Amino acid sequence: MRKFRKLLGSVYYYLFVALVVAFFGLPLLWLILAPFNSRSYLAVEIPANPTLDNFRAVFQNKFAMHALTQSNLILAVWTMFGITLISTLTAYALSRARIPGRNYMTYSLMLFSSVVTGTAAMVPVFLIISRMGLIDSYLGVILVIIGGNLPAAIFIMRDFVDGIPRSYEESAVVSGASPFQVFLDVALPLVRPGMMVIAVWAFVNAWGAFLIPFVLLRSPNKLPASTAIYSFYTEAGTPNIKLVSAYALLYTLPVVVFYLFINWKYGFRFFGGIKR
Amino acid sequence: MASIVLENLSKAFGKVVAVDQVNLTIQDGEFFALLGPSGCGKTTTLRMIAGLEIPTSGTIHIGDQDMTDRSPRERDVAMVFQDYALYPHMTILENIGYPLKVHGVNQAERKQRVTEVSNNLGIGYLLERRPGQISGGQQQRAAVARAVVHHAQVFLFDEPLSNLDAKLRFESRGFLKHLQKELKITTVYVTHDQAEAMALADRIAIIDHGKVAQVGSPQEVYLKPQTVFVASFLGNPPMNLLPCKFNLVKKQVQINGSQIDLTQVPQITGMKTMVSEGEDLILGIRPEHISLYAEETPQTFPAELYVTQPLGSEVLVTLQVAETPLSVRLFTDEPPELPKRVWLKPDPKRILLYRTDGMLVA
């Protein structure tokens, strides 16, 4: 009886797991399969006659390809550098310097993060950027995305820096290193795994941003892929599923490749050197 | 090479006073231990010498220079941290060579000096590895090598052995002492382990709640603790402390209903009368300075047997005198058969008397 119940328990367990996997897995499976299908189909189906025609059609759409290779790259790369650099320096200061109220500062940052990029803030954000004369410029979009993501990035980064024992830096200080040497030789290599996490995360956020570039950019040749994808809709507003899925796959690939590259090159690992 | 002078050194963290008016003079070339329980301020004192903490008040002199407000770089000290703090992204070679690199030594000379030092410390074959790939004992030696490689005027050790197992700790103790005697560099060593301090140091300062309780050679602090705190901190097991009554006229102490005559003891008879007749005192006696008797003998007091622990070359007997626990160390490898009630005879020459406020009277 107990054995049977145990068996039943594991059956339910695997059933549940299978459901969860299907829920998240099926859309991904569709994303991989649909672009190679010769007929438009919203369900997951293994293509009967696999074809590359969809990609050929997408490559011919100069507007969409320009968005992917130019606008997206500019926005994502600059945002990534901005967020990673600023959040690292800020988090380092918040973690190491004895500033009164630095914990409150960190937590209130967390609150702000959901406000700045939120839909509700779009009007004031638009007005600010407009006054700055940065409407229809990459810089405006980059600044807003950086500002919106920084608080969360600082929060994550600070947690990471807090986890690194101070004695590494103190040891360098006692050895006679200048503050700049301590940062460059010791602190920076130690926080690098954290910076890589932030970089990937920031890149993904900027790469997928829709609302901010949509509101702040005007010229069609500056729009990123998230908005350019609408060029695969007919004038009546119905999407061409084959082309949308092919473009979506192209849109996803750089992020995956970037993640794999970072993971291979730097690895999210941490060598020991502190005896606990 | 330099002496270190701390004058009225204090450090407060908010309202908590970690170090309170510490005055210490550490001689050139001396191995000096700061000993105390955790949280007593010994590490804070060391960090102030290193320049990692800024004193609230007081001064620090290293050599003949006032270093109180100088940066760590200007102090020319080397420090070994409790967690070693070897940089995980550098090889052992780069780790040990880092102080040299910072001081602008060129790569060839750096490599030569690192190789020399690490060969001396027996870790020459590990130079290409990273800290995560070597054992705790090897990490400790690498940390010491990094401190030794650039000839600083002062060595600072912050509990460098506390992360090692018992056997390695014993080996490293000998290694550190030998190294220090060879290099003759002024060393300040922080530890909470009294055996470590006794074994290593030329002199020990026992710190209690941020204050220096006593400074002296290991023999001085062990045999003549100036306070009950020092007496109870040193020794394993520590000194026995028994409440007693003192008869000023007869020079006798009364313990557990028995009288012990101290007329033959010079430090008691020569005592300046700081105590009053019949005052309650605390009698201090080391476990190894008590003899056991099965029957009542002159100069003894009774005790109840609690437990005996054979430790190989010696036997540790724990007893109870009234409500106070007391230990006796017998230098025998045969655990004796003891009756439930035994009689204890303290060596009168070794008896110390403390006031109830903890200060030594004789």
Side-chain angles (χ1 to χ4, degrees):
Chain A
M1 192 62 201
R2 247 176 84 190
K3 233 179 180 173
F4 176 72
R5 223 184 252 171
K6 217 174 159 186
L7 188 78
L8 203 72
S10 49
V11 166
Y12 283 141
Y13 175 72
Y14 283 111
L15 222 64
F16 175 72
V17 170
L19 260 170
V20 173
V21 167
F23 187 78
F24 290 101
L26 283 176
L28 287 176
L29 208 59
W30 180 85
L31 179 66
I32 296 167
L33 293 175
F36 301 98
N37 207 334
S38 49
R39 68 187 185 119
S40 271
Y41 202 50
L42 261 183
V44 176
E45 134 182 296
I46 294 167
N49 311 304
T51 170
L52 289 174
D53 286 347
N54 300 334
F55 289 100
R56 247 167 246 136
V58 167
F59 282 127
Q60 270 155 21
N61 184 334
K62 290 277 176 285
F63 167 68
M65 286 319 288
H66 175 84
L68 198 58
T69 53
Q70 297 270 306
S71 312
N72 257 58
L73 220 56
I74 291 171
L75 289 180
V77 168
W78 282 106
T79 310
M80 177 187 78
F81 279 119
I83 291 178
T84 310
L85 193 76
I86 301 171
S87 71
T88 303
L89 295 177
T90 314
Y92 188 73
L94 279 175
S95 173
R96 294 304 197 237
R98 287 178 190 147
I99 309 165
R102 62 189 169 139
N103 285 329
Y104 292 105
M105 224 189 286
T106 317
Y107 289 112
S108 47
L109 276 179
M110 208 51 201
L111 277 176
F112 284 126
S113 73
S114 49
V115 176
V116 176
T117 41
T119 319
M122 260 356 273
V123 174
V125 164
F126 181 85
L127 290 176
I128 292 170
I129 296 297
S130 163
R131 286 275 173 85
M132 289 169 81
L134 292 176
I135 292 292
D136 197 27
S137 74
Y138 287 133
L139 183 62
V141 179
I142 289 168
L143 285 180
V144 173
I145 300 179
I146 288 179
N149 285 296
L150 255 187
I154 292 169
F155 188 80
I156 298 168
M157 208 50 202
R158 185 188 157 185
D159 200 51
F160 186 84
V161 179
D162 278 346
I164 298 171
R166 268 167 199 264
S167 50
Y168 285 129
E169 292 132 87
E170 286 174 346
S171 165
V173 166
V174 175
S175 294
S178 66
F180 186 68
Q181 281 171 319
V182 173
F183 184 74
L184 212 65
D185 294 343
V186 178
L188 201 61
L190 289 174
V191 301
R192 204 174 59 186
M195 290 173 73
M196 292 304 149
V197 173
I198 296 295
V200 171
W201 177 80
F203 185 87
V204 170
N205 275 358
W207 189 260
F210 169 75
L211 187 64
I212 296 162
F214 184 67
V215 170
L216 297 182
L217 294 176
R218 285 283 165 276
S219 328
N221 67 344
K222 283 185 179 165
L223 288 176
S226 57
T227 48
I229 202 166
Y230 285 96
S231 63
F232 297 109
Y233 282 52
T234 61
E235 270 166 32
T238 49
N240 180 340
I241 296 286
K242 290 190 293 182
L243 298 187
V244 165
S245 67
Y247 189 65
L249 187 62
L250 291 177
Y251 185 26
T252 319
L253 278 180
V255 177
V256 176
V257 170
F258 180 60
Y259 167 78
L260 291 175
F261 172 76
I262 291 284
N263 199 15
W264 164 73
K265 182 86 185 167
Y266 300 101
F268 300 118
R269 58 179 181 251
F270 191 62
F271 284 121
I274 286 280
K275 188 87 177 146
R276 283 174 218 272
Chain B
M1 300 270 225
S3 60
I4 302 170
V5 181
L6 310 180
E7 258 177 280
N8 299 321
L9 196 65
S10 294
K11 175 72 186 180
F13 295 103
K15 279 180 185 161
V16 184
V17 180
V19 176
D20 192 4
Q21 298 285 321
V22 164
N23 287 288
L24 284 174
T25 302
I26 297 158
Q27 305 298 335
D28 186 9
E30 190 174 27
F31 199 132
F32 194 89
L34 295 172
L35 174 67
S38 58
C40 74
K42 57 192 190 301
T43 297
T44 308
T45 307
L46 190 79
R47 290 169 60 86
M48 284 194 281
I49 299 173
L52 292 171
E53 302 280 355
I54 300 158
T56 312
S57 63
T59 59
I60 299 165
H61 282 78
I62 299 175
D64 43 17
Q65 284 186 300
D66 185 346
M67 292 289 187
T68 316
D69 300 314
R70 300 286 188 84
S71 70
R73 188 185 170 85
E74 294 170 280
R75 298 186 188 208
D76 194 20
V77 298
M79 185 162 171
V80 175
F81 288 78
Q82 182 171 7
D83 53 21
Y84 311 146
L86 296 169
Y87 315 125
H89 54 287
M90 296 186 196
T91 62
I92 300 301
L93 176 77
E94 291 166 331
N95 260 290
I96 300 174
Y98 189 70
L100 299 176
K101 185 182 166 194
V102 163
H103 283 89
V105 178
N106 70 49
Q107 194 166 6
E109 193 189 335
R110 226 152 66 201
K111 177 145 196 190
Q112 186 240 325
R113 278 169 70 178
V114 171
T115 312
E116 193 184 308
V117 166
S118 50
N119 281 338
N120 278 347
L121 302 190
I123 51 168
Y125 63 104
L126 297 171
L127 291 181
E128 295 310 315
R129 307 236 196 126
R130 285 181 198 275
Q133 300 165 319
I134 63 177
S135 75
Q138 292 166 337
Q139 287 183 5
Q140 193 248 341
R141 283 186 183 222
V144 171
R146 186 173 62 183
V148 172
V149 71
H150 129 259
H151 308 286
Q153 24 176 5
V154 172
F155 282 166
L156 304 173
F157 288 95
D158 185 9
E159 311 218 12
L161 304 185
S162 59
N163 282 321
L164 301 176
D165 60 57
K167 184 169 166 283
L168 260 178
R169 199 178 309 165
F170 181 75
E171 281 175 20
S172 299
R173 222 157 72 182
F175 154 76
L176 282 181
K177 187 165 188 174
H178 181 78
L179 187 74
Q180 200 271 342
K181 292 294 163 229
E182 214 164 66
L183 298 171
K184 298 185 184 67
I185 291 178
T186 316
T187 300
V188 186
Y189 188 103
V190 161
T191 180
H192 63 266
D193 182 343
Q194 51 93 19
E196 211 170 285
M198 302 265 297
L200 286 169
D202 297 323
R203 283 194 307 149
I204 301 174
I206 293 106
I207 317 272
D208 179 23
H209 287 97
K211 287 191 164 74
V212 177
Q214 189 174 355
V215 185
S217 70
Q219 290 71 29
E220 281 165 8
V221 293
Y222 185 78
L223 293 176
K224 200 135 196 182
Q226 292 297 308
T227 68
V228 168
F229 171 80
V230 177
S232 63
F233 197 75
L234 292 171
N236 183 28
M239 185 180 278
N240 295 304
L241 297 165
L242 299 166
C244 65
K245 258 197 187 351
F246 187 63
N247 186 323
L248 194 62
V249 182
K250 291 186 183 166
K251 303 280 189 233
Q252 279 181 341
V253 284
Q254 184 186 345
I255 305 173
N256 207 11
S258 297
Q259 308 292 332
I260 292 171
D261 188 55
L262 299 175
T263 43
Q264 300 303 313
V265 185
Q267 79 258 28
I268 307 284
T269 48
M271 179 174 78
K272 295 181 186 79
T273 42
M274 287 153 67
V275 281
S276 43
E277 172 60 32
E279 188 175 327
D280 285 319
L281 292 180
I282 298 167
L283 180 140
I285 184 84
R286 291 267 172 214
E288 56 270 36
H289 298 146
I290 303 176
S291 331
L292 275 182
Y293 292 89
E295 285 136 41
E296 183 166 7
T297 351
Q299 295 282 67
T300 60
F301 60 91
E304 305 295 322
L305 183 68
Y306 181 66
V307 71
T308 58
Q309 304 174 47
L311 299 174
S313 63
E314 57 186 52
V315 178
L316 198 62
V317 184
T318 312
L319 309 112
Q320 293 231 297
V321 178
E323 293 298 296
T324 317
L326 176 144
S327 25
V328 175
R329 178 174 282 159
L330 301 174
F331 295 96
T332 167
D333 41 21
E334 267 174 65
E337 286 295 320
L338 291 171
K340 190 91 190 82
R341 191 175 174 81
V342 292
W343 297 83
L344 305 178
K345 182 179 183 181
D347 180 352
K349 293 195 295 291
R350 303 293 195 175
I351 284 178
L352 299 171
L353 291 175
Y354 295 92
R355 283 202 310 257
T356 43
D357 67 0
M359 298 309 290
L360 184 74
V361 286

